[in-house]
Amino acid sequence: MRGVAVLGSTGSIGVSALGVLRRQRDRFRVVALTAGSNAALLARQVDEFAPAFVGLVNGPAGELAGARAGASGLGCLTEAATRPDVDIVLNAVVGFAGLDATLAALRAGKRVALANKESLVVGGPLVLEAARVGGGELIPVDSEHSAVLQCLTDRRSPPARLVLTASGGPFREWEPERIARATVAEALRHPTWRMGNKISVDSATIANKALEVIEAHFLFGLRYDQVEVVVHPQSIVHALVEFEDRSVLAQLGYPSMDLPILYALTYPDRVPDTGVPRLDPVAVGQLTFEPLRTDVFRAFGCGVEAGRVGGTAPAVFNAANETAVAAFLAGHVPFGRIADTVERVCAAHQPGPVTSVEAVRAADAWARARAMESLA
Ligand code: NAD
Ligand code: MG
């Protein structure tokens, strides 16, 4: 029995993860749950899973019935992530807020099942160093990166090139003028995946795919010219991996996060799970691929360029994006301002090295302030 902490248990990934863990009770024990502010859902989860620890970032956790220990404030994430009874930390927090827990868990030698791609994007060198020093293990939950990992089980054959697939988002075929004026409801209407609001907007701007290129660079130790993106509207093929002999392997599945979550928990083993839908190729019918319209979805190129520049540039890209997406979701700015803001803030940044969490935090704060000015 391995102990699991689910950080962000009330979100889209968190709820899916608890669905997987409910079916895998003979292998895993839920020992810690944390949420941002949804106390009502967290309370129901605590009733069902009776974790030893519960954390509520915004609100008092002590009142939640069933838990033996509770904490509130941001510190509850690292507290949950470093408990001795925790073997696996599923980090399903959204945004920069997930960084400290990723670092703390890896330093404490835990397996981190990483949905929170932002922590790797903003602090890549620190995250890899934390894993090295603490003996922790970083396993992706993101479906494309899980697909790559599943194609890489033969350790003797390193990948030569990755092709990450992108659904293209809700605006794949829209004219640029219409995209610039898109509403919140339109941006959240993702064609194939049901996800939290922030990543849904990132999938509409295609900033999400830039975050994923950076994520792949750090996870698999590849150069940026070895990581490509192709639009695949059916979201059935999650990634393609090319080897030195130009053989290409792919991983397929319906757009559901259950398998990537399960695989991050059981890797390198596979276990049966009747909850994962079985692929019917005839029902799927066509699989199509097309280039990404990089001239239309400018946040993508801006993010990949930040990755190439390295140092604090990805943290600045991420912070500008988080700030602009929040302003869009709040109804303060039109959709088109997200890419404008990210480009403006990245252009104004003087990148420095990522030598410490403080350096990342300073870059993040600078970019948020700069983005707010630009959005005002
Ligand atoms: P979500 O918004 O649905 O859930 C986020 C969770 O984090 C919630 O439990 C929330 O309470 C908690 N949270 C939010 N802000 C917090 C803060 N400041 N401190 C602590 N906790 C906080 O998001 P999601 O769609 O589940 O995505 C979570 C992460 O997984 C993101 O990094 C996203 O990019 C990644 N991801 C999601 C999917 C998906 O299908 N939803 C797929 C791939 C990757
Ligand atoms: Mg993904």
Side-chain angles (χ1 to χ4, degrees), residues 193 234-236 238 252-257 260 277-281 283-284:
W193 295 93
Q234 296 84 16
S235 301
I236 297 290
H238 301 303
L252 282 71
Y254 288 116
S256 153
M257 291 306 293
R278 175 169 272 163
L279 187 75
D280 178 348
V284 169

Side-chain angles (χ1 to χ4, degrees), residues 169-171 184 186-190 193-206 208 325 329 335:
F171 309 141
V184 171
E186 287 167 335
L188 294 181
R189 209 173 292 140
H190 196 277
W193 295 93
R194 293 285 155 268
M195 309 179 287
N197 286 354
K198 190 265 181 179
I199 184 174
S200 294
V201 175
D202 286 353
S203 301
T205 61
I206 319 289
N208 181 53
V325 170
L329 284 170
F335 185 82

